[in-house]
Amino acid sequence: MNSGKKIQSALISVFSKEGLEPILAELNKLNVKIYSTGGTQKFIEAQNVPVTAVEEITTYPSILDGRVKTLHPKVFGGILARRENNHLAELDEYQIPEIDLVIVDLYPFEETVANTNDESQIIEKIDIGGISLIRAAAKNYRDVLVIPSKEAYQDLQNILVDQQGFTSLEDRKLLARKAFAVSSHYDTAIYNYFEGDDNEAFKLSIQNAQTLRYGENPHQKGIFYGNLDDMFDKLHGKALSYNNLVDIDAAVNLMKEFINDKPTFAVLKHTNACGTATRDTLVEAWKAALAGDPVSAFGGILICNRTVDKETAEEIHKLFCEVLIAPGYEEEALSILTQKKNRMILRIKDFTVQSRLFKSLLNGVIAQDADAKMETADHLEVVTDRAPKKEEINDLIFANKCVKHLKSNTIVLVRDQQLLGMGCGQTSRVDALKQAITKAQAFGFNLSGAVMASDAFFPFNDCVDIAQAAGIVSVIQPGGSIRDKDSIEKCNEHQVAMVMTGTRHFKH
């Protein structure tokens, strides 16, 4: 015999009717008395299921163009009454029916904000009655079951079919938790709409949560909040890890800079690009990117801006990589790449990335706008006697895209749209440059005719001396140092061209 509470009455007020029909059929089969109003009532009647209008309980009509329908003591009293004390006597005194089940699906506020700038439409999609019903039913979870959104319809269907309409305290408390998740998310969305640029408080709510194998290390717990299916189709491989996701984010942000360029490939390790190249064909781009650092590429993250063809897949297949990301894959290419069972293959659907960045630190959170700025040839100010040649300008722009996405302090060396060497995460700019030169030379690159990019200004002219001695002919940097003149004079001395962008690209 079931020892739970039996659902005997239900109040239904939903925006989305999808998936409601089988629930109504089960409620009717279990002889549950149903109360409703407005469009939901009409929908229930159309299913030939008995329903009592809320107005019959309240003796009050829906008023103010439907803004006030369920907000009444005879509705909320039946939801909030505690069954184990004298509340039931008060219900009898005021002829208020008990309500055991509340089903709500809120007005689609977020969808409305996403689809229109019409403030009047947006304001009308702020649900008042529905959110109040959810909170009331969740508060009284000891006696009432709440279904707070269409995403929970299946939970109710299972209870009705498998448990014949009986609910346990665990059932009701679990759905109360989901209800408060829905209500808090809804209120956060409304707050963020009204907040604008005032930044009075930090509020962020994401409904979807995915437990990861672990965090950055096996002893750390990891969770991803969001819906990866909006960005990717996962075509093959094991589940993505915390570190995979961090690297994928870095890869997508980098490749977004090249999305409209010729075929481009990038190889990343621990969020830093160790190889990047643009060529006339994708396979050429892959070979040139790999040549930048074939050692670090092992177990790396690969990303490109074109559909992967068979020839490119055959070359990629020679290397062990963790993740491959591309806008598409030819059928033959995919059959080759899936031969390694653990290789994660993603088809990227959208290069849209976060416009706002957050990081927890100390006893709070810091937030900033994402670095969405990228300089073009029109932004370059030539500050030396010699101006860079056209091909040098192309390489300088390429190098600047790369340097923006490496950890500071960072220096990038490029020639012919290929990353030859990079130094990143160094405590001095000189060390970053020396690291970049050492890496380039270690993989057989002659730096004669190459260009150099720096994420921030040169505090001294020593980097120009070192770069010129290695073969560098042009430099791109933001400028802004009180010693800019020293670096410019040193460039003129060596006939090195220098351009300034006026924009620093620190990344920590």
Side-chain angles (χ1 to χ4, degrees):
M1 183 175 178
N2 199 314
S3 59
K5 288 182 176 286
K6 189 176 191 305
I7 298 171
Q8 299 187 75
S9 58
L11 173 62
I12 307 176
S13 179
V14 298
F15 179 83
S16 175
K17 318 299 189 293
E18 184 180 353
L20 196 59
E21 298 97 320
I23 289 173
L24 293 172
E26 290 300 325
L27 290 173
N28 190 35
K29 189 187 300 183
L30 295 170
N31 295 314
V32 174
K33 186 171 182 61
I34 299 174
Y35 301 97
S36 191
T37 186
T40 306
Q41 179 187 341
K42 292 176 182 177
F43 178 82
I44 296 171
E45 290 170 342
Q47 308 305 309
N48 295 315
V49 173
V51 57
T52 299
V54 167
E55 290 82 355
E56 290 187 27
I57 303 173
T58 64
T59 68
Y60 233 90
S62 171
I63 61 172
L64 307 179
D65 298 321
R67 282 190 165 197
V68 180
K69 292 179 284 198
T70 57
L71 294 168
H72 195 281
K74 284 199 170 185
V75 174
F76 281 85
I79 297 170
L80 286 165
R82 288 180 292 186
R83 275 47 166 183
E84 76 279 3
N85 63 17
N86 62 358
H87 285 181
L88 293 182
E90 289 186 63
L91 295 188
D92 288 340
E93 180 182 354
Y94 295 107
Q95 297 182 316
I96 300 173
E98 294 179 38
I99 296 175
D100 305 317
L101 167 65
V102 173
I103 307 174
V104 175
D105 185 66
L106 298 169
Y107 289 160
F109 178 80
E110 288 179 281
E111 290 87 342
T112 305
V113 171
N115 293 317
T116 183
N117 293 319
D118 187 329
E119 187 177 61
S120 63
Q121 288 187 45
I122 292 170
I123 297 304
E124 284 308 308
K125 285 299 184 288
I126 298 177
D127 206 313
I128 302 301
I131 204 78
S132 301
L133 292 171
I134 287 173
R135 291 176 63 84
K139 176 178 180 176
N140 202 25
Y141 70 87
R142 289 190 170 277
D143 296 301
V144 178
L145 179 70
V146 58
I147 302 299
S149 70
K150 61 184 178 182
E151 283 72 27
Y153 286 177
Q154 188 59 52
D155 292 327
L156 176 58
Q157 182 74 8
N158 295 340
I159 288 171
L160 297 176
V161 174
D162 299 339
Q163 300 171 205
Q164 293 77 50
F166 284 87
T167 66
S168 66
L169 180 61
E170 290 75 18
D171 293 331
R172 298 190 297 276
K173 191 170 185 178
L174 173 63
L175 282 157
R177 187 186 75 192
K178 290 185 178 182
F180 285 119
V182 168
S183 66
S184 64
H185 178 82
Y186 198 77
D187 285 341
T188 296
I190 295 169
Y191 169 80
N192 286 334
Y193 169 74
F194 278 98
E195 181 196 33
D197 297 323
D198 291 340
N199 302 316
E200 293 177 350
F202 176 80
K203 292 183 183 292
L204 180 67
S205 177
I206 301 174
Q207 292 280 56
N208 300 310
Q210 177 183 338
T211 300
L212 306 173
R213 283 176 285 164
Y214 50 80
E216 201 162 9
N217 299 291
H219 62 276
Q220 295 170 267
K221 183 179 179 180
I223 302 173
F224 175 74
Y225 295 97
N227 188 356
L228 288 173
D229 292 340
D230 289 343
M231 285 196 71
F232 304 103
D233 290 323
K234 187 169 180 290
L235 305 180
H236 184 71
K238 60 185 179 181
L240 295 168
S241 70
Y242 179 99
N243 291 332
N244 291 151
L245 291 170
V246 173
D247 285 336
I248 289 168
D249 177 68
V252 171
N253 276 275
L254 171 61
M255 192 51 61
K256 184 178 172 65
E257 308 286 0
F258 299 94
I259 193 168
N260 296 317
D261 292 358
K262 292 195 298 183
T264 301
F265 235 112
V267 183
L268 290 90
K269 200 72 172 287
H270 298 298
T271 75
N272 292 305
C274 54
T276 308
T278 297
R279 291 291 184 265
D280 291 330
T281 67
L282 192 63
V283 70
E284 291 173 331
W286 160 247
K287 290 178 179 179
L290 178 62
D293 188 345
V295 175
S296 298
F298 182 84
I301 308 294
L302 316 183
I303 188 167
C304 63
N305 62 354
R306 292 289 191 280
T307 295
V308 176
D309 54 35
K310 179 184 176 184
E311 184 181 7
T312 306
E314 288 173 337
E315 293 297 322
I316 293 172
H317 191 58
K318 297 174 182 178
L319 177 80
F320 167 71
C321 66
E322 282 272 332
V323 182
L324 174 60
I325 309 163
Y329 301 85
E330 291 181 359
E331 188 174 338
E332 287 182 301
L334 202 55
S335 66
I336 293 168
L337 294 167
T338 54
Q339 289 174 21
K340 293 186 179 179
K341 67 176 184 178
N342 287 332
R343 177 185 283 149
M344 290 161 271
I345 302 176
L346 303 178
R347 178 167 52 221
I348 187 165
K349 297 185 281 189
D350 187 0
F351 275 89
T352 301
V353 293
Q354 298 280 7
S355 60
R356 194 95 168 127
L357 304 179
F358 316 101
K359 184 178 181 179
S360 60
L361 52 71
L362 301 176
N363 62 345
V365 173
I366 53 174
Q368 66 170 345
D369 295 335
D371 184 359
K373 187 172 183 182
M374 178 40 60
E375 296 72 43
T376 66
D378 293 337
H379 296 107
L380 308 185
E381 178 189 1
V382 179
V383 295
T384 49
D385 295 339
R386 186 178 82 80
K389 300 174 184 177
K390 181 179 179 182
E391 59 269 23
E392 291 173 19
I393 291 175
N394 292 336
D395 280 345
L396 289 169
I397 296 298
F398 182 98
N400 201 42
K401 290 178 179 180
C402 293
V403 84
K404 172 183 170 182
H405 294 277
L406 291 166
K407 295 292 178 65
S408 301
N409 290 310
T410 181
I411 293 288
V412 161
L413 306 178
V414 165
R415 186 181 58 236
D416 298 332
Q417 308 283 283
Q418 180 186 22
L419 176 61
L420 304 182
M422 62 84 176
C424 66
Q426 299 302 303
T427 52
S428 79
R429 204 150 297 281
V430 168
D431 285 346
L433 174 56
K434 289 178 179 179
Q435 183 188 47
I437 293 171
T438 299
K439 285 180 71 70
Q441 292 174 342
F443 294 116
F445 291 111
N446 182 341
L447 293 174
S448 178
V451 306
M452 174 173 72
S454 175
D455 63 327
F457 62 65
F458 295 108
F460 305 102
N461 62 12
D462 47 4
C463 281
V464 176
D465 264 336
I466 296 169
Q468 186 274 333
I472 302 303
V473 296
S474 285
V475 178
I476 184 170
Q477 60 131 327
S481 168
I482 59 173
R483 294 178 177 269
D484 277 346
K485 184 180 177 182
D486 294 349
S487 294
I488 293 170
E489 289 177 350
K490 185 62 69 172
C491 282
N492 287 333
E493 179 184 326
H494 295 303
Q495 288 298 296
V496 172
M498 178 179 280
V499 297
M500 293 185 179
T501 64
T503 301
R504 188 182 72 187
H505 289 296
F506 266 168
K507 186 180 181 188
H508 291 93

